[in-house]
């Protein structure tokens, strides 16, 4: 598993294009994984993000207990997994075991990081009880960021032909794959 | 300009895959347009969204005065426009005139809707002063939703070969185009 550190002031670039993410969480030896299409960037530096986590989820219990979570960008090869972990509860069984999900340890938080993803953000929650209670909306700050150098390095995505790409959930298991990377300006 | 109404309980599907949007605004005869990659869905029904609008923007002034804004999904043909209106201020001149942007009227709000987009959301702001002041974060609720039937109908995107597609900003004028639409499950 190859991964390189992404400088935190550039970490927002990892989610700027709107990919669906996997959310991992852990507290006191228990851990979980779910999917979240509802995420976006909130600020550059320090890099902040928002993510919606339903109050009925097991993830919600773990992130509120630990104050941390990891966001990671699955590739198309992980689309079926992404849909599966987004439509089952960790309360009904360990999703890591069920789906044979390989992980590696982060540097700052307890949540495991999923192997095979394109990039990873280790995050701490900035407590905003009103948003969390009223909207299931969490504001998080990345404290470490990593990317697979096959697809991201020197501050840029480079999805060559055949390279794994991010996925963008529409509804009911239908996703877009990230397509051509292009520049709006020719300068 | 062809557009069809999207039922509000399905309106979240329009932004679920993370496209960059154009934000239009109007108040008392003044109007503006900017780009926002930092947006996502917040709830299904009524459909709510979040969007980040910097407090220094002219858009900010107009939306806080009117309590409304429109989000619309530009196509790749509008990528250069999207980048241009995201990197200039309406205080320096009318961007609609500068870029010869054709618009049509919405049904519920004053903000003009941009022709040639893939879908449109007319939104009212749910006032959350703390989020707005601290994070430039706006929570909005769609009161009307529209789509170009060439690319969206019956609750589904259908980007056939050659059809216009959404764009997903990375950084500095680099975008991904939405790629292949696929299903994670074969059922």
């Amino acid at each position: 598993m190859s991964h390189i550190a992404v400088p935190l002031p550039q970490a927002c670039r990892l989610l700027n294009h709107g990919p669906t993410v996997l959310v991992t969480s852990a507290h006191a030896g228990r851990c979980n994984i779910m999917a979240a299409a509802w995420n976006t960037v909130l600020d550059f530096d320090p890099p902040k993000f928002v993510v919606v986590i339903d109050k009925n989820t097991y993830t919600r219990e773990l992130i509120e207990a630990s104050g941390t979570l990891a966001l990671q960008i699955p590739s198309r090869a992980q689309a079926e997994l992404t849909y599966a972990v987004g439509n089952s509860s960790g309360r009904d069984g360990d999703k890591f075991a069920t789906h044979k999900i390989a992980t590696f340890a982060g540097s700052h938080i307890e949540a495991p990081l999923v192997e095979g993803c394109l990039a990873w953000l280790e995050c701490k929650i900035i407590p905003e009880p009103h948003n969390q209670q009223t909207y299931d909306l969490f504001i998080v700050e990345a404290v470490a960021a990593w990317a697979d150098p096959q697809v991201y390095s020197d501050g840029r995505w480079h999805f060559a032909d055949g390279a794994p790409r991010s996925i963008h959930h529409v509804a009911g298991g239908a996703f877009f794959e990230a397509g051509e990377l292009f520049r709006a300006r020719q300068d």
Side-chain angles (χ1 to χ4, degrees), chain A:
Chain A
M1 234 310 301
S2 169
H3 59 285
I4 56 168
V6 173
L8 286 176
Q10 294 177 358
C12 68
R13 295 185 188 181
L14 300 175
L15 294 191
N16 210 84
H17 67 300
T20 294
V21 300
L22 294 170
V23 181
T24 51
S25 53
H27 180 68
R30 300 182 298 155
C31 60
N32 197 30
I33 180 170
M34 62 171 276
W38 296 359
N39 71 79
T40 194
V41 183
L42 184 61
D43 208 351
F44 292 105
D45 187 19
K48 295 193 192 78
F49 304 90
V50 297
V51 59
V52 179
I53 310 280
D54 190 276
K55 56 179 59 62
N56 296 315
T57 62
Y58 187 40
T59 293
R60 179 74 172 254
E61 184 182 329
L62 297 182
I63 68 171
E64 290 195 328
S66 69
T68 59
L69 56 81
L71 304 177
Q72 50 240 291
I73 305 178
S75 74
R76 179 161 174 173
Q78 294 165 310
E80 195 167 346
L81 171 69
T82 301
Y83 189 70
V85 300
N87 288 275
S88 56
S89 173
R91 293 198 182 95
D92 299 329
D94 178 348
K95 290 191 261 189
F96 295 95
T98 301
H99 299 287
K100 300 182 175 60
I101 302 169
T103 62
F104 62 103
S107 60
H108 284 62
I109 69 172
E110 185 182 347
L113 306 183
V114 176
E115 287 202 9
C117 285
L118 308 181
W120 302 262
L121 293 160
E122 300 181 47
C123 300
K124 65 178 181 187
I125 294 168
I126 298 175
E128 288 286 359
H130 171 68
N131 285 334
Q132 294 165 207
Q133 198 56 37
T134 307
Y135 300 112
D136 294 336
L137 178 65
F138 285 78
I139 293 175
V140 303
E141 179 182 325
V143 293
W146 311 95
D148 177 346
Q150 182 187 356
V151 293
Y152 186 94
S153 60
D154 299 327
R156 295 171 185 271
W157 289 105
H158 36 79
F159 289 168
D161 284 351
R165 290 167 184 251
S166 61
I167 57 175
H168 302 250
H169 191 237
V170 181
F175 292 84
F176 286 110
E177 184 179 42
E180 187 187 350
L181 183 60
F182 68 98
R183 292 193 68 79
R185 299 181 307 172
Q186 309 297 326
D187 59 6

